[in-house]
Amino acid sequence: MRTKKWAVERTRTIQGLVDFIKKFLKLMASEQLFIYVNQSFAPSPDQEVGTLYECFGSDGKLVLHYCKTQAWG
Amino acid sequence: MRDGAGRRPERREEEEEEEKEEKERRKRKRRRSARADLQFSLQVSCSMAGGEEFFLDEKRFKQCCEDFVKHSQQIGDGWEWRTSKDLGDGYLSKTHFQVRNRHIPPDLKEKNSDNTEQMLFAHIEEPLDDSQAAGVCSTEEVVRYEYHVLYSSSYQVPVLYFRACFLDGRPLTLDEVWGSVHASYQDRLQEGPWDTITQQEHPILGQPFFVLHPCRTNEFISAVLGGSQERHRHTNYIILWLSTVGPVVGLNLPLSYAKLAPEQSTDADLAE
């Protein structure tokens, strides 16, 4: 389990986060990665992480889940 | 003339200036830290092998739609439930208008507008920079999107149908629809456009609609929920699914739908 930390500006979008994680996991551009809050909702790609943190964070933390499975086809 | 420390008056002024600047810099830095960056860490984990598959039965589909519409009404998001008289089936429906800018270079302005429409569609997403700003006439183009969510009993999942047309009634072609898919999904779309968005007959209305292919829906829902059906019995399947696939075709769900999740609910939230 790797727990390296990175700084991210509050204005970074979900799409920006997805691109970062895809690079980190060495996924191809055409592979899909989705991010979820509460394991029940995928914020839109242009949503800012700062807003998500304010709405859904608690105890100074916001937990997001990611999923690499193809979502259509 | 020099002062006690042996410095000339002008030098002292310079030093005072520098000190003032330094104080300003420190103040700005403190202000910046108040809105500091967030830190994030990434836990990489393997997906659970042999996880339970999540099937959506029609009863649960209707219940999720009902809750979904209720919330939509509360926030004015425009979704409604429609039933067809003869079939007794129902589906979710929403219409919205999207405005897009089209940039028409001056030399093409005089030409036949139909031709320019065909030629210029590719330019729709280009940003307007300074070199183009002078002498470019920009017209706004309004596209009417209609989204329907139907239940597929063969796949046992919801399916997203949609159609789009310009205000003059001209429907968008499949190429135009593909061209308007969100930039972040274009790579995937190039690889297999035919297994992503195709044109099919609407099962209830019998009219041609575009459809987002449902055969992988079950796979990704099961991967996200990755666990017992029991644990996620309160998750609204429609919200989970639509928030994931909607953005591909220009449909974004406001963040407030996420608040429907029971884990995050507190009395204070429910009272809003």
Side-chain angles (χ1 to χ4, degrees), chain A residues 1-10 12 15 17 19-22 24-25 28-32 34 36-58 65-73, chain B residues 34-45 182 184-185 187-189 191 195-197 212-217 219-220 223-226 231-232 235-236 239-241 243-245 247-248 252-259 261 263-264:
Chain A
M1 190 169 72
R2 295 169 255 183
T3 51
K4 187 177 165 183
K5 286 193 179 174
W6 295 272
V8 61
E9 322 81 57
R10 286 163 188 263
R12 179 81 70 100
Q15 191 51 50
L17 201 58
D19 292 339
F20 177 86
I21 298 175
K22 275 169 79 167
F24 184 80
L25 297 178
M28 295 199 302
S30 56
E31 286 182 77
Q32 306 284 179
F34 297 95
Y36 296 89
V37 64
N38 283 348
Q39 266 183 289
S40 62
F41 181 85
S44 60
D46 304 323
Q47 190 66 248
E48 291 182 2
V49 295
T51 311
L52 287 176
Y53 179 78
E54 276 158 40
C55 294
F56 301 101
S58 60
H65 288 84
Y66 72 85
C67 175
K68 299 193 287 182
T69 314
Q70 192 62 263
W72 52 81
Chain B
R35 294 286 299 164
D37 291 347
L38 299 170
Q39 278 191 331
F40 87 94
S41 60
L42 188 65
Q43 275 187 19
V44 181
S45 59
H182 193 283
S184 51
Y185 304 108
D187 287 322
R188 170 64 186 87
L189 190 63
E191 275 201 1
D195 64 12
T196 305
I197 299 175
L212 193 57
H213 249 268
C215 44
R216 308 292 286 261
T217 298
E219 213 178 295
F220 91 80
V224 175
L225 296 178
R231 184 147 59 100
H232 296 287
T235 302
N236 189 306
I239 292 176
L240 174 61
W241 164 78
S243 61
T244 305
V245 302
V248 184
N252 288 308
L253 287 190
L255 206 51
S256 95
Y257 282 100
K259 295 242 183 203
E263 292 96 311
Q264 213 53 19

Side-chain angles (χ1 to χ4, degrees), chain B residues 148-192:
Chain B
H148 291 184
V149 174
L150 278 78
Y151 180 71
S152 162
S153 36
S154 40
Y155 286 104
Q156 288 194 278
V157 292
V159 186
L160 183 61
Y161 287 78
F162 66 100
R163 59 183 170 187
C165 61
F166 298 101
L167 284 187
D168 62 4
R170 179 172 83 79
L172 267 69
T173 62
L174 190 52
D175 274 325
E176 286 169 332
V177 166
W178 282 341
S180 62
V181 165
H182 193 283
S184 51
Y185 304 108
Q186 281 290 348
D187 287 322
R188 170 64 186 87
L189 190 63
Q190 303 304 338
E191 275 201 1

Side-chain angles (χ1 to χ4, degrees), chain B residues 10 30 66 70 102 122 167 172 178 205 213 247 252 258 267:
Chain B
E10 303 85 31
R30 272 200 299 270
E66 199 182 297
K70 229 182 268 173
R102 284 198 326 168
L167 284 187
L172 267 69
W178 282 341
L205 302 178
H213 249 268
N252 288 308
D267 287 336

